[in-house]
Amino acid sequence: MRVAVFSTQPYDRKFLGEANQRLINAGGPRAGHELGFYESRLTAESVALAFGIPAVCVFVNDELDPLVLSMLSGGETKVVALRCAGFSNANVAEAERLGITIARVPAYSPHAVAEHTIGLMLALNRKLLNAHARIREGNSDLDGLLGFDLYGKTVGVIGTGRIGTIVTQILTGFGCQVLLNDVQRNPALANAGAKYVELGTLFAESDVITLHCPLTPETHHLINRESLAKAKPGVMLINTSRGGLINTAAAVEFLKTGQLGFLGLDVYEEESDIFFRGLSDYVIQDDTSLRLLTFPNVLVTRHQAFFTIESMRTIAETTLANLTAFERGEPLGANQVSVDMIR
Ligand code: NAD
């Protein structure tokens, strides 16, 4: 099947190209797909690139709003394959109304995101970036690099699904006390030295808080002035989930007073304009994102927590398998996004 692949970077072309080649080598009738790669995000301006092409493949910041979907439908596109698990960028009801199937990769490597989360915690706590910068300048002074033992500290994990569960397991291995909060409990975790508590208790007692719940109307700005005021002074906050969970302006205010002691972000509220792009000659308009970068106790990565060899292979293989199943009229099962998932 012909596929217009949007928002592609060299690594997308590499992993999708290699997975497609494996399908072709494995043979069989109509093996593999005809992939056309575009750097551009899918938007109302770029959608014309997909006209007449039955399949479109997109990522987290591509736009699947009613306008883009109707233009896709008018251009004879029948299936959209997301190279990610989340589908908050897609108007699923409108896609269903137009008869466009949306497929996704429900799980690739929760370990990748969990391990990056712990990486942010350790790098912030032990000031690894500052230490490395000093050493490069021949400065071996330890003053200013003082950290704390994670052993014995209390860590609050909000969202105990696939990623939150692994984060909890790693942290209990470190000897942390883990406080959990979720709308659905995972009984296996409560037996592993962690306990479920109300959100208020988690904010009040945690030295570190890490976010692993999805972005929904209920969780939008879960971290705000009120919740930050309830937290322990100097608390560390980590977000590898979705940017909209944190009111960034409130986080900046609390960083200034020291109430928020450390902030580690892999995701950011306004990320669609600035992430996954080279911006060295671009004037960034978002002052809050730039203000964040001025704090010595803030560490930002640009939505790379998932980015491991294992994840990229799984994403590429599952995406192509979704397209093959669609082409053959086979059911997509849990890989098909439906309105029932958002009710
Ligand atoms: P998951 O669906 O397995 O788990 C999410 C958990 O959040 C579930 O247990 C759910 O019950 C819980 N939850 C829902 N609403 C909640 C609420 N109001 N309060 C507390 N908990 C609530 O998802 P996952 O695979 O563990 O992914 C977690 C998040 O990580 C997702 O939002 C996803 O967007 C994000 N993610 C980020 C990256 C990255 O590269 N940074 C990669 C993959 C996933």
Side-chain angles (χ1 to χ4, degrees), residues 108 113 161-163 182 212-214 219 240-242 266 303 305-306:
Y108 23 101
V113 183
R162 283 174 289 251
I163 296 168
D182 197 312
H212 302 290
C213 56
T219 60
T240 58
S241 194
R242 280 291 181 263
D266 185 53
H303 210 136
F306 73 98

Side-chain angles (χ1 to χ4, degrees), residues 59 85-86 88 106-110 113 116 157-165 181-186 196 199 211-216 218-219 222 239-242 245 266-267 303-307:
F59 196 44
S88 52
Y108 23 101
S109 174
V113 183
H116 191 80
V157 176
I158 302 179
T160 56
R162 283 174 289 251
I163 296 168
T165 293
N181 182 270
D182 197 312
V183 288
Q184 262 185 313
R185 295 184 172 206
N186 174 354
Y196 279 93
L199 212 46
L211 306 178
H212 302 290
C213 56
L215 178 60
T216 63
E218 291 74 46
T219 60
L222 177 75
N239 187 11
T240 58
S241 194
R242 280 291 181 263
L245 296 177
D266 185 53
V267 286
H303 210 136
Q304 72 171 75
F306 73 98
F307 194 48

